[in-house]
Amino acid sequence: MKLNKNNLLVLVCTLMIISMLVIFSTKVEAENENFTIVNGVLKKYNGEDAEVTIPKTVKKIGMNAFFQCSNLTSITIPDSVIDIGVGAFIGCSNLTSISIPNSVTSIGGGAFQECSSLKSIIMSDSISTIYSHTFKWCKNLNDIIIPTSVTSIEDGAFSGCINLSTISIPNSVTSIGRETFWNCEKLIDITIPTSVISIGADAFGATPWLEKKQRENSFVVVNGILIDGKSCKENITLPNTVKSVGDNAFSCSNIIAITIPDSVTYIGEYAFSDCSRLVSVKLPDSVTSLGNSVFYGCTKLKNVTLSNGLTIIPDFTFEQCKSITQITIPNSVCSIGYFAFDNCKNLKYITMPNNVKKINGGAFDSCNDNLIIYSYNNSYIQKYAKENKIGFRTLAISKPNATIIVGKTLQLNMNSLAACKWQSSNKTVAAVDKNGKVTAKKKGTAIITASLYGKKYTCKVIVK
């Protein structure tokens, strides 16, 4: 095949362009031989330098990009960078300081975890969240200013920062996660603004700050959140300044009974878990929601009154509460969570309203073999009981008719032993107390009425 001059010229030009591209590509690679950069993302630092300047072509420092670069002592981040990925500098044990430009809007979880030589850091004013474990185990960190752009500090963000002695949280922050400052063993001064409305379990655990607060008062309350009551014993009454009980607040404490004021609207997850001496609890109707596992492992808990403000019994709420024999689900409840009563070995009577339309898996696993659910015929609950081979009975009063002698008493109950409101049509003939105990006063007839879930159940009492 013969090439004419035009074809030959095109071929030569093409070869020249390809050669130039190869040379240019090689040059760029040589200039960035310590960096693996793909589409503006610094995927991996391959060098061993102590001082590193990130190229201005980088927009994001990728996940684990500088993983365990133990030679690294300082890093310069250009303002082209907008994102620092998860674990980007994790384990850079000789990195001593860092300045994050305001161009950075996101710093991934664990980004500086285990940077054990890091003493100070200048944060970007553009981030809104300090993610989980960002500075965990930065053992020499002693100086950090949280910018006013931050609204949330997540789980374990500063846990194990054993040289951090003071921290000021700006009033932009509304949420502090679990174990955020856990084991900051020199942290004695914490400024918490009134803007904070959520504090996770053990957020300040194992700090001198918390230990001092515990010595001052067995109830440690921050902005209406009771964050710690683990030093409490016996019978306690929460102060009416408490609006919510925090996660794990009383976990493993020695309380026996607790009185909760109607100022409380929320009780956090595991709040009373493993309180092995807790026997009795009554939730006021002001409580509208619970976290998961609130009473998990309270093996002596027997007397429980639930709030009429609850709509859900969450997952694992009473798991392993082996002393509960009967419980009444409030009329407000429409759903029962996974394993809510799992392993309640002595639970025999449970009363449910017609409003319950969902019972999740394992709700009554490993309960007493003689467990009976009391509710209404042709209901979702009756169907559920049949499908899960659980006993079912229709709600009724213990006696529809009774005859007693003047001066004698008669005990009436709902067949499920549920607490209800009692009333007599003629107190001069037969009076009834709040527990259903009827006292015959004089000869005659009275109708004793029990009210439960908006329905009435009657017993005709003849006094002779």
Side-chain angles (χ1 to χ4, degrees):
M1 175 179 167
K2 292 183 179 180
L3 296 174
N4 58 37
K5 289 183 179 180
N6 289 336
N7 288 339
L8 183 62
L9 181 61
V10 169
L11 178 61
V12 171
C13 289
T14 300
L15 290 173
M16 288 178 65
I17 291 170
I18 292 172
S19 299
M20 290 174 66
L21 287 172
V22 170
I23 293 169
F24 178 76
S25 176
T26 303
K27 182 178 180 182
V28 170
E29 190 65 34
E31 286 180 356
N32 295 280
E33 61 184 7
N34 287 335
F35 303 99
T36 300
I37 302 170
V38 178
N39 296 326
V41 180
L42 198 166
K43 295 284 189 178
K44 179 68 176 174
Y45 174 68
N46 308 302
E48 296 183 358
D49 294 335
E51 299 179 358
V52 173
T53 298
I54 293 174
K56 293 183 178 180
T57 55
V58 172
K59 295 180 180 179
K60 177 180 178 178
I61 302 172
M63 179 186 295
N64 297 335
F66 289 84
F67 177 73
Q68 291 185 347
C69 290
S70 57
N71 289 335
L72 186 66
T73 59
S74 69
I75 185 90
T76 300
I77 301 174
D79 57 14
S80 60
V81 174
I82 59 173
D83 190 348
I84 297 175
V86 172
F89 296 92
I90 190 169
C92 293
S93 55
N94 285 302
L95 183 64
T96 58
S97 64
I98 191 165
S99 178
I100 300 173
N102 291 335
S103 58
V104 174
T105 59
S106 178
I107 301 173
F112 299 95
Q113 185 173 331
E114 296 179 28
C115 291
S116 53
S117 297
L118 188 63
K119 293 183 177 180
S120 64
I121 184 165
I122 298 174
M123 297 275 283
S124 164
D125 285 336
S126 303
I127 63 170
S128 60
T129 301
I130 299 177
Y131 288 105
S132 299
H133 307 145
T134 299
F135 300 101
K136 185 176 183 179
W137 297 119
C138 290
K139 297 182 178 180
N140 278 293
L141 185 65
N142 56 31
D143 184 23
I144 186 165
I145 296 174
I146 298 174
T148 56
S149 57
V150 172
T151 59
S152 176
I153 306 173
E154 291 192 349
D155 300 352
F158 296 94
S159 63
C161 293
I162 59 176
N163 274 296
L164 190 64
S165 61
T166 181
I167 193 84
S168 180
I169 299 170
N171 58 17
S172 56
V173 173
T174 60
S175 174
I176 299 173
R178 297 173 62 90
E179 299 183 352
T180 301
F181 297 97
W182 179 80
N183 202 33
C184 292
E185 58 187 43
K186 292 184 179 179
L187 188 57
I188 58 174
D189 186 18
I190 305 172
T191 301
I192 305 172
T194 57
S195 58
V196 174
I197 58 174
S198 175
I199 299 176
D202 299 312
F204 307 100
T207 64
W209 177 86
L210 180 60
E211 291 168 2
K212 180 183 177 184
K213 292 290 184 182
Q214 289 170 328
R215 289 192 298 269
E216 293 172 352
N217 195 319
S218 55
F219 300 122
V220 180
V221 182
V222 176
N223 297 342
I225 307 166
L226 198 158
I227 65 170
D228 187 272
K230 293 183 177 67
S231 62
C232 293
K233 299 177 181 180
E234 308 297 331
N235 301 329
I236 63 171
T237 299
L238 301 188
N240 56 19
T241 55
V242 175
K243 297 178 181 178
S244 64
V245 179
D247 299 348
N248 291 72
F250 292 92
S251 180
C252 299
S253 68
N254 285 312
I255 60 174
I256 295 175
I258 183 167
T259 300
I260 300 172
D262 58 12
S263 58
V264 175
T265 59
Y266 173 74
I267 298 176
E269 62 182 30
Y270 293 96
F272 299 98
S273 64
D274 296 307
C275 290
S276 59
R277 299 181 66 199
L278 182 62
V279 173
S280 177
V281 66
K282 180 179 180 180
L283 302 183
D285 292 345
S286 59
V287 174
T288 56
S289 61
L290 305 173
N292 291 338
S293 307
V294 169
F295 298 103
Y296 173 91
C298 294
T299 53
K300 290 186 179 180
L301 183 60
K302 187 174 183 179
N303 304 312
V304 178
T305 302
L306 293 172
S307 163
N308 287 309
L310 293 173
T311 57
I312 297 172
I313 308 297
D315 302 344
F316 314 106
T317 299
F318 295 101
E319 185 175 13
Q320 296 192 38
C321 292
K322 299 179 181 181
S323 295
I324 295 177
T325 58
Q326 73 89 21
I327 194 164
T328 300
I329 306 299
N331 201 30
S332 54
V333 171
C334 58
S335 175
I336 297 176
Y338 291 97
F339 302 98
F341 295 91
D342 178 36
N343 207 22
C344 291
K345 293 289 188 182
N346 287 296
L347 182 59
K348 295 181 181 179
Y349 305 89
I350 184 162
T351 309
M352 286 194 202
N354 215 18
N355 292 331
V356 173
K357 301 300 182 185
K358 185 176 183 181
I359 301 175
N360 287 294
F364 302 102
D365 277 7
S366 302
C367 286
N368 193 284
D369 291 339
N370 297 316
L371 173 65
I372 297 175
I373 298 176
Y374 293 82
S375 191
Y376 302 97
N377 285 330
N378 303 315
S379 63
Y380 163 82
I381 298 160
Q382 185 180 31
K383 182 181 177 182
Y384 169 85
K386 183 178 180 180
E387 290 175 349
N388 290 274
K389 298 180 180 180
I390 298 173
F392 178 85
R393 299 285 186 276
T394 303
L395 281 167
I397 198 166
S398 56
K399 291 183 179 182
N401 298 284
T403 300
I404 54 177
I405 298 170
V406 173
K408 298 296 183 179
T409 61
L410 169 70
Q411 181 63 55
L412 293 178
N413 299 294
M414 293 299 295
N415 59 346
S416 67
L417 304 182
C420 55
K421 292 183 179 180
W422 295 94
Q423 185 177 338
S424 172
S425 65
N426 193 337
K427 296 178 182 179
T428 62
V429 172
V432 63
D433 69 10
K434 64 180 182 179
N435 298 313
K437 184 179 180 180
V438 179
T439 302
K441 298 290 188 177
K442 69 177 185 179
K443 292 180 181 181
T445 301
I447 303 299
I448 305 299
T449 302
S451 298
L452 179 64
Y453 298 146
K455 296 182 181 295
K456 297 183 184 298
Y457 304 85
T458 60
C459 173
K460 182 179 180 181
V461 175
I462 299 174
V463 179
K464 292 184 175 181

Coordinates of all heavy atoms in Angstrom, one line a residue, residues 42 74 86 156 242 275 307 320-321 324 333 401 403 426 443 455 462:
L42 N -6.8 12.8 46.2 CA -5.5 12.3 46.6 C -5.8 10.9 47.3 O -6.2 10.8 48.4 CB -4.8 13.2 47.6 CG -3.3 13.0 47.9 CD1 -2.7 14.2 48.6 CD2 -3.0 11.7 48.6
S74 N 4.7 17.5 59.6 CA 3.8 18.6 59.3 C 3.3 18.5 57.9 O 3.9 17.8 57.0 CB 4.6 19.9 59.4 OG 5.6 20.0 58.4
V86 N -12.4 10.0 55.5 CA -12.4 9.1 56.7 C -11.0 8.5 56.9 O -10.4 8.0 56.0 CB -13.4 8.0 56.6 CG1 -13.2 7.0 57.7 CG2 -14.8 8.5 56.5
G156 N -17.3 9.9 70.4 CA -15.9 9.6 70.6 C -15.0 10.6 69.9 O -13.8 10.2 69.7
V242 N -35.3 18.4 85.8 CA -34.9 17.4 84.7 C -36.0 17.3 83.7 O -37.2 17.1 84.0 CB -34.7 16.0 85.4 CG1 -34.4 15.0 84.3 CG2 -33.5 16.1 86.3
C275 N -29.7 -2.3 86.3 CA -29.9 -1.8 87.7 C -30.5 -3.1 88.5 O -31.7 -3.3 88.5 CB -30.9 -0.6 87.8 SG -30.2 0.9 87.1
S307 N -46.3 5.1 81.0 CA -46.9 6.4 80.7 C -48.0 6.3 79.7 O -47.9 5.5 78.7 CB -45.8 7.4 80.2 OG -46.4 8.5 79.5
Q320 N -34.9 -9.3 79.6 CA -34.3 -10.0 80.8 C -34.8 -9.3 82.1 O -34.1 -9.4 83.1 CB -32.8 -9.9 80.6 CG -32.3 -10.8 79.5 CD -30.8 -11.0 79.5 OE1 -30.2 -11.2 80.6 NE2 -30.1 -11.0 78.4
C321 N -36.0 -8.8 82.1 CA -36.6 -8.3 83.3 C -37.4 -9.5 83.9 O -38.6 -9.7 83.7 CB -37.5 -7.1 83.1 SG -36.6 -5.6 82.6
I324 N -40.9 -9.5 86.4 CA -42.2 -8.9 86.0 C -43.1 -10.0 85.8 O -42.9 -11.0 85.0 CB -42.1 -8.1 84.7 CG1 -41.2 -6.8 85.0 CG2 -43.4 -7.6 84.3 CD1 -41.0 -6.0 83.7
V333 N -50.5 3.3 73.2 CA -49.5 2.5 72.4 C -50.1 1.8 71.2 O -51.2 1.2 71.3 CB -48.9 1.5 73.4 CG1 -48.0 0.5 72.6 CG2 -48.1 2.2 74.5
N401 N -71.5 -10.7 89.1 CA -72.5 -10.6 90.1 C -71.9 -11.1 91.5 O -71.0 -12.0 91.5 CB -73.7 -11.5 89.8 CG -74.4 -11.0 88.6 OD1 -75.1 -10.0 88.6 ND2 -74.2 -11.8 87.5
T403 N -72.7 -11.3 96.0 CA -73.6 -11.0 97.2 C -72.7 -11.0 98.4 O -71.9 -12.0 98.6 CB -74.7 -12.1 97.3 OG1 -75.5 -12.1 96.2 CG2 -75.5 -11.8 98.6
N426 N -73.6 3.4 94.2 CA -74.3 3.8 95.5 C -73.3 3.5 96.6 O -73.2 2.4 97.1 CB -75.5 3.0 95.7 CG -76.4 3.5 96.8 OD1 -75.9 4.2 97.7 ND2 -77.7 3.2 96.8
K443 N -77.7 -2.7 103.6 CA -78.5 -3.6 102.7 C -78.9 -2.8 101.4 O -79.3 -1.6 101.6 CB -79.7 -4.2 103.4 CG -79.3 -5.2 104.4 CD -80.6 -5.7 105.1 CE -80.2 -6.8 106.2 NZ -81.4 -7.3 106.8
K455 N -63.6 1.5 78.1 CA -64.7 0.6 78.2 C -65.1 0.3 79.6 O -64.2 0.5 80.5 CB -64.4 -0.7 77.5 CG -64.2 -0.6 76.0 CD -63.9 -1.9 75.3 CE -63.6 -1.8 73.8 NZ -64.8 -1.3 73.1
I462 N -75.1 -7.2 95.6 CA -76.2 -7.2 96.5 C -75.7 -7.3 97.9 O -74.9 -8.3 98.2 CB -77.2 -8.4 96.2 CG1 -77.7 -8.2 94.7 CG2 -78.3 -8.4 97.2 CD1 -78.6 -9.4 94.3

